[in-house]
Amino acid sequence: MSKLNILIFPDSRLRTKAQTIEQVDDEVRQLANDMLETMYDAAGIGLAATQVDVHRRLLVADVSSEGSEPLVLINPEIIEKQGEQLHDEGCLSVPGIYAQVARAEKIRVSALNLDGEPFETEAEGLLAICIQHEMDHLNGVLFVDYLSPLKKRLVRKKLLKMKRANEEVLA
Ligand code: GNR
Ligand code: NI
């Protein structure tokens, strides 16, 4: 197991559209394990492969308070959406920024598991939000894309400033 580096907005690699996984092999299982370790270490509830600069369609999530319900979705597809919910979202790739986003309240998802077998699952509430947020990442979309151009510009400025301050400390 190893912890992976998380890309930070406005890194252009976060805009890459992830490729379908053709074969669920040991490399994919290793990636899923490393992503779970990275997510738990960062105290996140979800992580998409895009965020660790791997452009393959894989996401992990765990919305339980004990970190006891890891979920791995390979090649996820939303096959049904119902209702709408508004929630303050954050993102490990957009640290320190929170904003309201509208998402479907309930979704039905198809995916492959770590044995490469297809399955379907339903999610609602926070897990539904998380899966929709991670699936956006796999398509190169970030929650700040739903903000007004003005707010998005302020977020970009703030994070670039943070990045520069960080580079000065390291220099
Ligand atoms: O840890 C996370 N919390 C969160 C809170 C509200 C809505 C979405 C999320 S996902 C985020 C982790 C992350 O950036 N996943 O891509
Ligand atoms: Ni995110």
Side-chain angles (χ1 to χ4, degrees):
M1 296 259 279
S2 48
K3 215 188 100 186
L4 308 168
N5 185 45
I6 297 176
L7 300 176
I8 303 298
F9 175 80
D11 193 308
S12 63
R13 291 171 289 183
L14 287 167
R15 298 310 186 176
T16 313
K17 187 174 156 58
Q19 301 289 310
T20 299
I21 293 181
E22 301 292 348
Q23 179 108 290
V24 179
D25 53 17
D26 285 345
E27 196 187 329
V28 170
R29 285 184 277 270
Q30 178 71 52
L31 173 63
N33 272 322
D34 289 346
M35 283 173 55
L36 281 167
E37 184 185 352
T38 306
M39 175 187 79
Y40 288 127
D41 186 78
I45 59 169
L47 191 70
T50 309
Q51 292 176 278
V52 295
D53 203 20
V54 176
H55 303 288
R56 308 178 76 184
R57 306 192 76 80
L58 191 159
L59 67 86
V60 299
D62 189 340
V63 298
S64 74
S65 40
E66 313 82 24
S68 56
E69 291 167 32
L71 177 68
V72 177
L73 300 179
I74 298 166
N75 299 339
E77 305 270 5
I78 294 179
I79 52 183
E80 228 180 285
K81 287 188 182 192
Q82 261 181 283
E84 196 181 84
Q85 54 179 334
L86 265 182
H87 197 274
D88 246 352
E89 293 200 13
C91 180
L92 295 172
S93 294
V94 193
I97 308 290
Y98 302 88
Q100 290 249 311
V101 179
R103 304 278 189 188
E105 160 64 24
K106 199 170 167 187
I107 56 175
R108 189 162 180 84
V109 180
S110 72
L112 301 179
N113 66 18
L114 284 172
D115 293 319
E117 295 158 343
F119 72 104
E120 287 185 16
T121 186
E122 271 186 1
E124 55 189 327
L126 186 58
L127 182 58
I129 290 170
C130 184
I131 292 172
Q132 292 170 82
H133 174 114
E134 305 315 334
M135 287 183 65
D136 269 357
H137 277 302
L138 299 180
N139 292 325
V141 174
L142 296 165
F143 84 96
V144 292
D145 298 342
Y146 301 116
L147 305 182
S148 71
L150 173 64
K151 277 191 187 163
K152 193 172 162 182
R153 216 155 42 235
L154 288 171
V155 170
R156 178 182 288 114
K157 217 174 133 182
K158 184 173 169 184
L159 291 185
L160 283 173
K161 195 172 167 182
M162 226 175 68
K163 185 170 178 237
R164 267 198 308 276
N166 225 297
E167 282 164 359
E168 270 163 41
V169 168
L170 292 174

